[in-house]
Amino acid sequence: MNLTIIGTGFVGVVTAAVYASFGNEVIGLDIDEDKVAKLKKSKVPFYEPGLEELLKEQQQTGNLVFTTDYQEAIKNAEVIMIAVGTPSAPDGQADLRYVFASLESLAPHLAEEAIVVIKSTVPPGTLEKAREIIGQRTKVKFHLASVPEFLKEGSAVEDTLHPDRVVIGATHETVFAKLEKLHQPLKAPVVKVKPESAQMAKYAANAYLATRITFINQIADLCEKNGADIEEIVAAISPDQRIGAHYWYPGFGYGGSCFPKDVKELAAYSRSIGEGDNMFNKINDLNEDRIPRLLESFEGELDGWKDKTVAVLGLSFKPNTDDMRESPATKVIPILLSKGAKVQSYDPLANWQEFHRLENLENNHQQMKTIEDALQGAEVMMSLVEWPQIIGFDFAQAKTNQLKWFIDARNQFDPEALKKAGYHYLGLGRTS
Ligand code: UDX
């Protein structure tokens, strides 16, 4: 099948490479010439395990090419997938300007019976606007569909190859048939629904998982006060088949490019259609307040942050990615600095200076190359992300007289072993 993917961000590049690997002729289109030039040389502008290898392999077979030229990319495409960014607008709703701009640009070049699929996360009602935008610019017969993306960063290639389900939102049997055929090699259950349902399903899935994380964080906070242990509670409730064991890890709140944005968007969307304030707003507030609140309670335990050297381990929002969007570190480090602490950070991949390249660098923060360097002279150590390099490190061995406090933001370490090594251990909702 001739397939064009518009937008070579995270979702676009992974989708292009995976669909090419099924023998489709795929064109990846982006208006960013720099990005396309790099992709032509198989260089991915972000880290994702296995992606560069797959990209190179598919480019060598000739199944996958990249371009900035709309005419070249659209004229023979049977299916066009839009995977451009939908950042949040100031009022919290999805800003659809890039989706609409790509629809305007593709419309004049569409082939007869082409299917335009929106993969970007968009609110219900977007396909009507898409129909209007394209209809004003072409006379050919075209179709629209919504196929939301559920991949996770850090395992995006695997998730795309082995999804739990494929959700296809369309209105015509011929469109369902063609998109089902395209997704057949994935051997995943296909859920055929109305476009509005597909769009809401994406918001519902992300908002549910964000709610679940917020819920377990709240239970962990209660445990702090009553002597119960959150890890024991998770073990006690997970065997209930209605509940299950996934997405049950307490922490400093959810981050990344999707959960925070999608929860806020769902809240704003709800207000925009007259449904008023709702639980999504509250979930967002709880998540945003979490880090300042936790740091304040730790501050009491260790007698103030002022003049303390803190080793902050883990800068990305989760392991196996260099993505720092809404990561705990981006909230923790500025608070520590504002309270007069000195920060020595470490991450196996993420680069603080690159992320903050437009801002002034703080004098009191230095990113170190190794965990040992970050711990040098530190009084407090804080593990924010469950990178294997961090959770596999021998902190008992690294204990010094100066290094007293161990903050375990993901409950990844054995409190007893660390206490035995002489640390004052602070986890989340764990009896200490
Ligand atoms: C998420 C969705 O999982 C994915 O389906 C969607 O397409 C995009 O958003 P992603 O942002 O890559 O994927 O990461 P995910 O692994 O889901 O984690 C999101 C955040 O939740 C991270 O900050 C993570 O640390 C946090 N989290 C996750 C918890 O705090 N506890 C958990 O139990 C699980």
Side-chain angles (χ1 to χ4, degrees):
M1 205 174 284
N2 285 337
L3 182 62
T4 289
I5 316 283
I6 303 182
T8 59
F10 207 82
V11 171
V13 178
V14 174
T15 309
V18 168
Y19 287 58
S21 75
F22 299 146
N24 298 296
E25 301 280 318
V26 181
I27 301 181
L29 170 75
D30 205 294
I31 52 170
D32 184 331
E33 293 185 2
D34 263 11
K35 242 189 204 175
V36 168
K38 284 196 184 111
L39 287 165
K40 280 183 174 172
K41 291 186 205 144
S42 308
K43 288 271 162 276
V44 180
F46 47 84
Y47 175 75
E48 184 59 42
L51 182 56
E52 243 173 44
E53 294 81 342
L54 185 65
L55 195 71
K56 199 173 281 173
E57 186 187 292
Q58 292 312 311
Q59 286 174 302
Q60 276 163 2
T61 65
N63 282 350
L64 176 58
V65 294
F66 290 94
T67 182
T68 52
D69 183 340
Y70 263 93
Q71 189 186 9
E72 177 196 336
I74 304 298
K75 65 179 189 220
N76 295 322
E78 297 162 77
V79 175
I80 297 141
M81 289 189 172
I82 298 185
V84 297
T86 50
S88 287
D91 67 354
Q93 294 203 65
D95 177 350
L96 301 178
R97 86 176 79 159
Y98 303 117
V99 174
F100 294 155
S102 51
L103 291 169
E104 283 172 19
S105 303
L106 70 84
H109 311 293
L110 271 184
E112 199 67 42
E113 301 285 351
I115 303 174
V116 179
V117 174
I118 300 200
K119 233 182 188 330
S120 308
T121 303
V122 295
T126 304
L127 286 202
E128 282 80 81
K129 289 191 191 131
R131 186 171 302 287
E132 204 181 297
I133 293 171
I134 299 178
Q136 287 163 353
R137 291 167 176 81
T138 184
K139 295 251 168 318
V140 304
K141 187 166 178 222
F142 63 94
H143 304 280
L144 288 163
S146 224
V147 179
E149 183 51 65
F150 298 98
L151 60 76
K152 300 186 290 304
E153 292 187 31
S155 55
V157 173
E158 271 306 295
D159 289 351
T160 308
L161 280 167
H162 307 290
D164 292 335
R165 78 310 206 177
V166 172
V167 176
I168 302 178
T171 44
H172 285 85
E173 214 25 70
T174 49
V175 176
F176 279 124
K178 190 137 188 175
L179 293 179
E180 266 190 285
K181 191 168 164 219
L182 178 66
H183 291 92
Q184 209 171 18
L186 298 173
K187 299 190 172 65
V190 172
V191 185
K192 299 197 281 180
V193 296
K194 294 195 275 190
E196 295 78 9
S197 307
Q199 292 150 353
M200 272 305 282
K202 169 69 190 230
Y203 281 113
N206 276 357
Y208 170 70
L209 293 169
T211 304
R212 202 173 151 100
I213 294 164
T214 307
F215 174 86
I216 207 67
N217 284 339
Q218 295 267 284
I219 299 288
D221 289 353
L222 298 184
C223 294
E224 292 283 339
K225 304 270 167 20
N226 62 18
D229 186 312
I230 191 66
E231 301 305 320
E232 293 183 354
I233 291 167
V234 168
I237 62 176
S238 296
D240 186 325
Q241 290 192 16
R242 296 167 302 174
I243 296 175
H246 57 282
Y247 276 71
W248 251 177
Y249 306 106
F252 273 27
Y254 56 79
S257 63
C258 289
F259 286 175
K261 182 176 105 56
D262 290 355
V263 172
K264 263 186 260 182
E265 274 178 26
L266 196 53
Y269 171 72
S270 165
R271 281 194 295 275
S272 78
I273 58 170
E275 281 301 305
D277 253 347
N278 49 40
M279 67 179 273
F280 310 116
N281 226 12
K282 184 71 186 164
I283 298 296
N284 179 56
D285 287 349
L286 287 168
N287 198 59
E288 286 192 350
D289 289 349
R290 186 155 182 78
I291 287 178
R293 250 176 22 84
L294 285 170
L295 290 192
E296 211 175 294
S297 78
F298 292 139
E299 188 171 14
E301 301 256 5
L302 46 82
D303 204 17
W305 294 107
K306 191 158 167 45
D307 298 328
K308 294 235 165 44
T309 299
V310 186
V312 172
L313 307 184
L315 296 172
S316 56
F317 84 95
K318 65 175 195 179
N320 293 318
T321 176
D322 57 1
D323 194 343
M324 289 176 67
R325 284 176 287 178
E326 302 271 340
S327 78
T330 59
K331 296 165 188 172
V332 165
I333 292 176
I335 295 178
L336 293 180
L337 295 175
S338 74
K339 300 247 176 190
K342 182 174 164 227
V343 174
Q344 294 173 173
S345 66
Y346 162 81
D347 192 279
L349 271 185
N351 183 324
W352 183 270
Q353 291 199 21
E354 229 169 71
F355 186 76
H356 285 280
R357 63 186 175 276
L358 299 176
E359 294 172 24
N360 288 332
L361 277 180
E362 311 88 349
N363 290 333
N364 279 336
H365 172 209
Q366 212 183 344
Q367 181 170 352
M368 314 304 254
K369 288 203 163 53
T370 65
I371 298 180
E372 287 88 344
D373 289 348
L375 294 177
Q376 194 73 41
E379 284 121 318
V380 188
M381 103 102 216
M382 203 186 272
S383 164
L384 292 183
V385 183
E386 61 277 28
W387 275 102
Q389 289 89 330
I390 298 172
I391 58 175
F393 188 83
D394 188 348
F395 287 99
Q397 174 107 40
K399 173 84 180 74
T400 60
N401 283 341
Q402 197 169 13
L403 182 56
K404 293 193 179 73
W405 288 279
F406 193 108
I407 298 179
D408 181 5
R410 302 302 315 228
N411 284 358
Q412 290 290 318
F413 295 89
D414 175 0
E416 292 314 315
L418 290 169
K419 276 186 238 163
K420 214 189 242 165
Y423 285 101
H424 182 65
Y425 174 88
L426 298 167
L428 297 178
R430 289 176 123 177
T431 26
S432 51

